[in-house]
Amino acid sequence: MSRILSILAVLAALYVAICVALLVFQRSLIYFPQPLSISQPDTLLRLPVDDGEVLVSVRPHAGPNALIYFGGNAEDVSLNLAEFSQAFPEHALYLLHYRGFAGSAGSPSEEAIQRDALALFDRVHAAHPQTVVMGRSLGTGVAIRLASQRPASRLLLITPFDSLQTIAARQFPFLPIKWLLKDKFESSTYAARIKVPTLLIAAEQDEIIPRSSTEALYRHFAPGVATLKVIPDKGHNSISESPAYLPLLRAAM
């Protein structure tokens, strides 16, 4: 009996240690900061924030139209500049580098990124009253919350999910994720507040975001607000390689 109790004590201690490690290091499992690839002076905006500045890759364009883009958790968004410039020639482009990415100040967290997103939208919208908000993967959580708080003209969500907490709970069913996770990105909470035309694009072979998560998010939008499209034969990271990808986005603009 004493040996059984000892084994149980060791297992309990190991379980607690895993929980503590997840609590302490979880953001290093969510965010993977990338360096900046394209850094010409005319492609960078330095946006002042509460404790420094964050970088925004830009393609200036006069007129009412703009696109704000929030990338994935391991994405150098500057690499989209050339492709987006060709795809959206009538839009000024603003691609946010999250805190800790590409020389942006601070460390990434859901609330810090959301504050930066609001600051960027307010600056862009003042010059471009028709501002489209687009997010990919983790960035869809930023984009949908922003669009629930600011007058975006349209919302585009690429490989979106209903909740980071739900996805994490599927991956670690033996851990109390609800109590441990700091950045939950509860997109489904904000979906019902969205009033502007919204496009959700899923990858048929997405190995990271389950289709059930995207469909659960889709069901939270009010009837007639959102459209869900699935790109065949592509995965989470290869969806943008599909010839259907940019035409779908252009059509939604």
Side-chain angles (χ1 to χ4, degrees):
M1 180 63 73
S2 61
R3 183 176 181 181
I4 294 175
L5 290 176
S6 296
I7 293 174
L8 291 175
V10 170
L11 291 175
L14 180 60
Y15 182 80
V16 171
I18 292 173
C19 290
V20 171
L22 180 60
L23 183 64
V24 174
F25 299 110
Q26 61 183 268
R27 285 185 173 135
S28 65
L29 301 175
I30 297 174
Y31 307 101
F32 300 92
Q34 300 296 310
L36 181 66
S37 297
I38 301 174
S39 59
Q40 291 88 348
D42 62 340
T43 64
L44 275 182
L45 167 69
R46 297 182 181 273
L47 180 70
V49 293
D50 50 11
D51 55 354
E53 62 183 19
V54 294
L55 300 184
V56 184
S57 286
V58 301
R59 195 287 301 269
H61 188 275
N65 301 321
L67 170 68
I68 299 177
Y69 177 76
F70 303 104
N73 68 333
E75 184 176 351
D76 172 14
V77 296
S78 71
L79 295 175
N80 294 289
L81 272 177
E83 187 174 56
F84 284 1
S85 294
Q86 292 182 353
F88 313 115
E90 299 304 317
H91 287 73
L93 303 177
Y94 297 85
L95 289 61
L96 178 67
H97 295 274
Y98 302 140
R99 293 180 181 229
F101 287 61
S104 289
S107 300
S109 71
E110 180 180 3
E111 292 306 317
I113 292 172
Q114 211 63 47
R115 290 195 300 272
D116 299 342
L118 290 170
L120 177 59
F121 183 92
D122 291 343
R123 176 161 178 164
V124 172
H125 190 257
H128 307 281
Q130 297 297 316
T131 299
V132 176
V133 173
M134 177 163 62
R136 178 169 177 173
S137 192
L138 185 78
T140 63
V142 183
I144 192 170
R145 184 172 170 183
L146 173 62
S148 75
Q149 298 172 297
R150 291 294 190 269
S153 61
R154 291 182 179 272
L155 177 61
L156 309 178
L157 304 173
I158 304 154
T159 61
F161 53 88
D162 60 335
S163 165
L164 188 60
Q165 175 179 303
T166 302
I167 292 175
R170 288 195 189 102
Q171 294 178 338
F172 305 101
F174 54 92
L175 295 177
I177 292 297
K178 179 179 180 180
W179 310 111
L180 295 176
L181 196 62
K182 298 174 183 177
D183 296 351
K184 299 182 178 180
F185 290 96
E186 297 280 5
S187 294
S188 59
T189 299
Y190 303 102
R193 307 176 193 174
I194 302 298
K195 308 299 182 185
V196 298
T198 298
L199 173 65
L200 291 75
I201 302 179
E204 182 183 40
Q205 299 176 3
D206 199 317
E207 67 283 10
I208 295 176
I209 305 296
R211 176 77 65 80
S212 60
S213 179
T214 301
E215 292 175 348
L217 174 64
Y218 175 65
R219 289 193 295 271
H220 278 83
F221 286 90
V225 169
T227 302
L228 173 60
K229 300 291 185 180
V230 178
I231 292 184
D233 304 322
K234 294 298 179 182
H236 187 81
N237 294 316
S238 62
I239 187 172
S240 57
E241 299 171 5
S242 169
Y245 176 71
L246 287 177
L248 270 177
L249 292 176
R250 282 196 297 266
M253 303 284 273

